[in-house]
Amino acid sequence: MKMMGVVVMRIVALVGTFVFAFNVALAATPPITFVFGDSLTEVGNNNFLQYSLAKSNYPWYGVDYPGGQPTGRFSNGRTIGDIISEKLGISSPPPYLSLSPNEDAILKGVNYASGGAGILNDTGLYFIQRLTFDDQIQYFQKTREVIKSKIGVVNATKLCNEALYFIGIGSNDYVNNYLQPFLADGQQYTHDEFVQLLTSTLDRQLKRLYELDARKIVLHGLGPLGCIPSQRVKSKTGQCLKRVNEWVLEFNSKVKRLITSLNSRLPKAALMFADTYPAVFDLISNPTAYGFKISNTSCCNVDTSIGGLCLPNSKLCSNRKDYVFWDAFHPSDAANQVLAQKLFSTMFSHTNHSPSSIAPQPSPA
């Protein structure tokens, strides 16, 4: 019992340290953020990959984004990252591939996310080009070298230590890998073996980020992938796929343990697991409680047999705010607003301060 008490106290201390670190960053100057992930957080990197098949740079994507034009975001509007940036009082970091190598903009944060990316390097291979999580970490290493050349080693280390790192990765390792019957991983591994492969790879990747001076890291858990439209169509009754959701819960549980382990192993590490599963599942299960009407299919009438993206010839729903999903995989702008608010509240639930009031507010567009 005494040992259990020590473990609990250690976890509480880590949570407190993480939240304190976030608020110090917010209270001083606007935080610098680095974003890693897949299409849920991409802001346009794949537009710069000539042969990538994982792009959203065509109508109707961006129809509700400022300017109404596609930007490479896989939504009719903003990503969750965009909305959290607004709440932090900063601009959403630009896509890495849009920046010239020595651009000063990197000092304010960068987005490395890429549609089709996964924890595993062979995930999303059939998209031809995408930035895997390893690729993204390698680009962050290059960014760090440029930052060192601009402001010196000491200041660069301080900047990277104090920056906030948001990571949303893993969905494609299921949707565009393990759950695809024609790919090797689904045939080669049991699910227990596959989760072990994912978490051991993620362990190495997060330690690499730590070696590159990242300290304050938020890792987003996976949502109920069995309930997204592309998976529901595999059910004869259009219901959520229970087995897929059980696998996701197992993955999330193992990653939570990994985060706890990394915090205990790495000095001054402040990693946080953001468990988004309950919030997303509740939004899908009880859409009317959040002002939505439909959560079992997408606003954009997609063809799930050829990818499930919203193509230019697709037909849109009459009221986009009624739908939780924009296409077969991605939430709508309105749903992202709900989920970002929940995530933001969770991240700062242990503090009496309001980060949004401390951070400078963005000017009206």
Side-chain angles (χ1 to χ4, degrees), residues 39-71:
S39 56
L40 292 172
T41 49
E42 188 190 342
V43 293
N45 276 308
N46 285 11
N47 287 351
F48 298 89
L49 300 176
Q50 184 178 356
Y51 301 109
S52 177
L53 298 180
K55 292 184 180 180
S56 60
N57 61 338
Y58 42 78
W60 298 96
Y61 290 98
V63 66
D64 294 310
Y65 192 80
Q69 298 299 312
T71 62

Side-chain angles (χ1 to χ4, degrees), residues 338-354:
V338 171
L339 297 173
Q341 179 59 50
K342 286 203 169 198
L343 177 59
F344 196 78
S345 298
T346 300
M347 285 164 50
F348 297 100
S349 62
H350 297 274
T351 176
N352 294 322
H353 299 292
S354 169

Side-chain angles (χ1 to χ4, degrees), residues 30-306:
I32 294 163
T33 61
F34 294 101
V35 180
F36 302 79
D38 50 33
S39 56
L40 292 172
T41 49
E42 188 190 342
V43 293
N45 276 308
N46 285 11
N47 287 351
F48 298 89
L49 300 176
Q50 184 178 356
Y51 301 109
S52 177
L53 298 180
K55 292 184 180 180
S56 60
N57 61 338
Y58 42 78
W60 298 96
Y61 290 98
V63 66
D64 294 310
Y65 192 80
Q69 298 299 312
T71 62
R73 289 166 170 82
F74 287 78
S75 172
N76 58 309
R78 301 161 295 172
T79 67
I80 289 175
D82 290 329
I83 297 164
I84 287 180
S85 291
E86 291 172 17
K87 291 179 177 296
L88 291 172
I90 59 175
S91 298
S92 190
Y96 175 81
L97 295 180
S98 72
L99 303 171
S100 60
N102 292 304
E103 199 163 331
D104 285 344
I106 66 165
L107 297 172
K108 296 182 179 179
V110 181
N111 185 310
Y112 305 91
S114 173
I119 295 168
L120 305 178
N121 287 327
D122 58 354
T123 288
L125 201 60
Y126 49 65
F127 294 125
I128 303 177
Q129 283 184 300
R130 73 272 180 257
L131 305 181
T132 67
F133 192 24
D134 278 336
D135 292 334
Q136 294 175 38
I137 294 170
Q138 196 169 1
Y139 279 134
F140 173 68
Q141 182 176 354
K142 290 184 177 181
T143 299
R144 179 172 164 270
E145 291 303 313
V146 174
I147 292 173
K148 283 162 64 176
S149 71
K150 285 180 175 293
I151 62 176
V153 174
V154 173
N155 287 331
T157 300
K158 185 173 185 288
L159 183 152
C160 292
N161 282 172
E162 294 179 355
L164 310 181
Y165 298 79
F166 293 96
I167 303 171
I169 199 85
S171 294
N172 285 311
D173 293 290
Y174 282 94
V175 175
N176 288 304
N177 189 342
Y178 194 70
L179 296 175
Q180 294 291 355
F182 55 86
L183 294 179
D185 283 359
Q187 310 296 323
Q188 182 178 352
Y189 301 108
T190 66
H191 185 255
D192 286 345
E193 292 169 340
F194 188 65
V195 169
Q196 177 57 37
L197 176 62
L198 289 178
T199 52
S200 61
T201 305
L202 192 57
D203 188 350
R204 171 184 60 78
Q205 291 165 331
L206 294 175
K207 283 190 290 191
R208 180 62 187 139
L209 276 175
Y210 176 87
E211 290 166 1
L212 296 172
D213 297 324
R215 295 293 181 269
K216 297 190 273 285
I217 299 173
V218 181
L219 182 65
H220 301 250
L222 302 187
L225 296 176
C227 295
I228 66 176
S230 73
Q231 296 301 306
R232 278 183 185 263
V233 296
K234 299 176 183 179
S235 163
K236 292 179 180 177
T237 57
Q239 300 302 307
C240 297
L241 300 185
K242 184 179 178 182
R243 185 176 67 162
V244 173
N245 284 346
E246 288 172 347
W247 285 344
V248 167
L249 287 170
E250 184 181 343
F251 171 83
N252 284 347
S253 177
K254 295 286 174 62
V255 174
K256 282 181 189 177
R257 290 182 207 168
L258 172 61
I259 294 299
T260 301
S261 172
L262 288 169
N263 278 326
S264 64
R265 283 184 277 147
L266 304 176
K268 297 185 179 179
L271 287 80
M272 177 182 181
F273 180 78
D275 190 358
T276 55
Y277 186 102
V280 179
F281 188 76
D282 192 49
L283 177 59
I284 293 171
S285 303
N286 305 295
T288 55
Y290 300 90
F292 297 91
K293 292 181 179 177
I294 300 169
S295 61
N296 63 343
T297 189
S298 58
C299 167
C300 185
N301 187 14
V302 299
D303 184 346
T304 54
S305 66
I306 57 168

